[in-house]
Amino acid sequence: MPIDMIQIQEVIDNFPGLSIKKSLKKEKIISGKFELNDSYNGIRMVDDFEIEITIHSNYPEILPKIKEIGNKIDPKYGHIYLDRSLCLATEGDMKINLFPNFKLIDWMNNYVIPYFYSYSYYKKYNGVYPFGDRSHGAKGILEYYVEFFKVNKLEEAREYLKIVSKKEYKGHYLCPCGSGKKIRNCHKEKIYKLMNPEYCTFYKDDLNMILEEEKNYD
């Protein structure tokens, strides 16, 4: 599948410090200076980073990978993978939020900019995260689904994932959130969204990772 050059050009137009570094059959690599100038709750962060973004030919099924290549981010910062790519969010988070009309510019605006804003804020304010901080591994994935389903407990989020994974939606059952309402009068829309075939692989991968990690703790 050819990579959408219109989407790449849109990113370059909006972030003029970036340009195409390599154009290969299976991937495109854009790199250069990423200039941060963003605010949250009235606090503005201005900074710049050298970055490299790899876009696979199977995009958007395979999400872009981004690295900070200027050695500006502290290696001890928790949200970096072993290959030095940046942990922007869980894969399920990005795919569920941006699909089915995934656009590179939306990925930049919704995940890349907040990542660098959060890091700059974290450094300036001695380890404080402006948007909060999710855990790593299965717990972090469940924390995303707590936000997605708008519930309070990890166990409740896990129950919703099991329902949609096994296609065991019963609208007359009591909702796992503990509201006392039937599912059809409570979390029906969220459940239906994930049961859509376009989204099934996203949450199933997350659920498998959760169950595998929990099994290792038994």
Side-chain angles (χ1 to χ4, degrees), residues 3 10 25 29 31 66 71 74 87 102 157 215:
I3 299 170
E10 184 178 20
K25 184 176 181 179
I29 298 175
S31 65
I66 180 170
N71 297 319
D74 188 335
C87 177
F102 196 106
K215 183 173 67 176

Side-chain angles (χ1 to χ4, degrees), residues 21-81:
K21 179 182 178 181
K22 289 183 181 180
S23 183
L24 307 174
K25 184 176 181 179
K26 289 193 174 182
E27 63 185 24
K28 296 284 189 294
I29 298 175
I30 59 178
S31 65
K33 181 182 290 187
F34 167 81
E35 296 185 1
L36 173 71
N37 188 344
D38 198 37
S39 64
Y40 175 73
N41 283 344
I43 300 176
R44 183 165 296 277
M45 290 287 135
V46 178
D47 209 339
D48 60 77
F49 301 85
E50 291 292 326
I51 67 170
E52 179 182 273
I53 300 171
T54 301
I55 305 152
H56 196 273
S57 60
N58 285 338
Y59 158 87
E61 286 77 14
I62 296 177
L63 293 175
K65 179 181 289 189
I66 180 170
K67 295 182 179 181
E68 189 275 317
I69 58 176
N71 297 319
K72 193 167 184 177
I73 293 182
D74 188 335
K76 296 180 182 178
Y77 186 59
H79 298 279
I80 304 176
Y81 294 117

